Amino acid sequence: MPEYNATRVLNEIDGLINEASLSARVPLGFCTPGFWVTFAIRARARHVPIDNVAFPTEDLREYAGAIALERILGGRDTYPYERHGAGCRYSPLVMLDNREAVDRATGQINGCIRNIAPWDEQFGQFTRDLFSVVGDLHDNVWAHGMSLGVSMAQRWKVPHKQDSYLEFALADGGIGFFQEMHRVGLAPANHEQAIDWCIQEGHSTKLVNESEDPLVQTLPEDVSGNPMQGLARHTNYGNHHQGLGLPKLVRLASDFCGELTLPRETRSCAWIAGAKRAILR
């Protein structure tokens, strides 16, 4: 059975989502969290309603319901069962468009990590660092993804072994590292230079952008409209844009002999999808 992940769905997106008919199909195969977050964010961007998504099997349709795909595509959730495994064996798809959603996704995914990772001398520091990275990455997507970020996690057994995989994946519909840097007046020559700059500790386009002056009067995020036009702006509580998320992830992968891939998209609109998979024994 073929595996469908973030890279594969990006390569085959034109065959899965029909923008003209506002329809999409889920392929037959093993769909990883990297697939689901990328598929969800792309289908949402193309305004595909959940009723226009075709599933090859009833099992995949039920799984999509369990991970709340219809909530991402239609704003509703009709799954009839309690999600008892959420925060333990998996974390459903969560739209990272407000502080509450970011905290909920972070808590559930870290709950999955806590459930699988042993708290011993070897793994204790790793899991603590990973908890921090998950929160920072969610904050980073919320800050830069224009409220178009989605994340989830899933645990499954390694075939014929006692080990388990836990994959945490997130995707966002922002403009990408390269265009974001140019937007705030920085001028990387290519995508590689943009990525190299963004993974340096303390580097954040939110800090470069003069409109993010910490002395500017701010409004609560739940205020509708702006009664102080020209004098104040909205703010996202708890999201300080310190440029720490990606550097922490790079350091974590290096310290624990892991691998990190930061893909780039060279089409007119840059889409970023990142996934982390680890075997914990």
Side-chain angles (χ1 to χ4, degrees):
M1 179 178 292
E3 178 180 299
Y4 287 85
N5 51 31
T7 300
R8 189 163 184 176
V9 72
L10 282 171
N11 290 335
E12 301 181 11
I13 194 68
D14 290 335
L16 298 177
I17 299 178
N18 188 320
E19 190 168 4
S21 63
L22 299 181
S23 63
R25 66 177 180 88
V26 174
L28 180 63
F30 179 65
C31 298
T32 71
F35 166 87
W36 288 110
V37 296
T38 309
F39 178 83
I41 206 71
R42 296 301 292 267
R44 181 183 174 93
R46 298 186 180 192
H47 308 290
V48 175
I50 188 63
D51 292 338
N52 288 2
V53 178
F55 297 90
T57 67
E58 192 59 31
D59 285 344
L60 268 174
R61 182 186 298 276
E62 291 181 0
Y63 181 77
I67 63 172
L69 178 64
E70 65 175 346
R71 186 166 60 198
I72 303 299
L73 299 185
R76 55 190 173 90
D77 184 2
T78 61
Y79 188 64
Y81 308 109
E82 291 289 334
R83 294 184 173 93
H84 296 294
C88 179
R89 297 188 302 273
Y90 74 100
S91 173
L93 292 163
V94 175
M95 200 76 195
L96 305 173
D97 57 358
N98 60 72
R99 177 77 265 173
E100 181 182 354
V102 169
D103 289 344
R104 182 171 68 255
T106 300
Q108 288 188 335
I109 290 170
N110 283 345
C112 294
I113 296 171
R114 186 180 297 107
N115 184 259
I116 191 176
W119 283 94
D120 56 25
E121 184 176 351
Q122 179 183 5
F123 280 100
Q125 188 59 52
F126 170 79
T127 52
R128 285 190 291 271
D129 290 345
L130 191 54
F131 288 162
S132 177
V133 164
V134 168
D136 286 341
L137 289 177
H138 278 148
D139 271 350
N140 193 58
V141 167
W142 182 26
H144 297 278
M146 300 185 295
S147 295
L148 293 174
V150 174
S151 77
M152 73 165 288
Q154 177 68 64
R155 175 186 179 180
W156 65 87
K157 295 289 293 182
V158 180
H160 313 299
K161 294 184 179 181
Q162 296 300 314
D163 301 321
S164 294
Y165 287 120
L166 175 65
E167 180 175 339
F168 155 52
L170 55 84
D172 74 66
I175 60 177
F177 294 134
F178 182 78
Q179 293 186 51
E180 172 70 7
M181 289 185 66
H182 278 272
R183 186 186 67 81
V184 298
L186 300 174
N190 50 48
H191 289 277
E192 287 78 10
Q193 284 188 9
I195 291 173
D196 286 342
W197 188 88
C198 289
I199 64 175
Q200 301 300 314
E201 186 166 344
H203 284 188
S204 172
T205 55
K206 291 296 182 181
L207 298 179
V208 173
N209 191 347
E210 292 182 356
S211 67
E212 294 294 323
D213 184 347
L215 298 181
V216 172
Q217 181 69 39
T218 59
L219 299 171
E221 60 180 351
D222 57 351
V223 167
S224 177
N226 188 347
M228 302 172 64
Q229 293 292 338
L231 300 177
R233 59 172 170 79
H234 285 83
T235 185
N236 292 327
Y237 289 132
N239 197 347
H240 302 298
H241 319 309
Q242 296 176 346
L244 300 177
L246 285 173
K248 278 186 179 181
L249 184 57
V250 171
R251 188 164 57 249
L252 183 67
S254 175
D255 290 348
F256 291 92
C257 302
E259 295 182 0
L260 174 64
T261 300
L262 295 175
R264 62 182 176 87
E265 178 67 53
T266 57
R267 302 173 193 173
S268 59
C269 184
W271 295 79
I272 301 168
K276 172 69 178 176
R277 175 184 293 178
I279 300 177
L280 301 176
R281 294 179 174 84

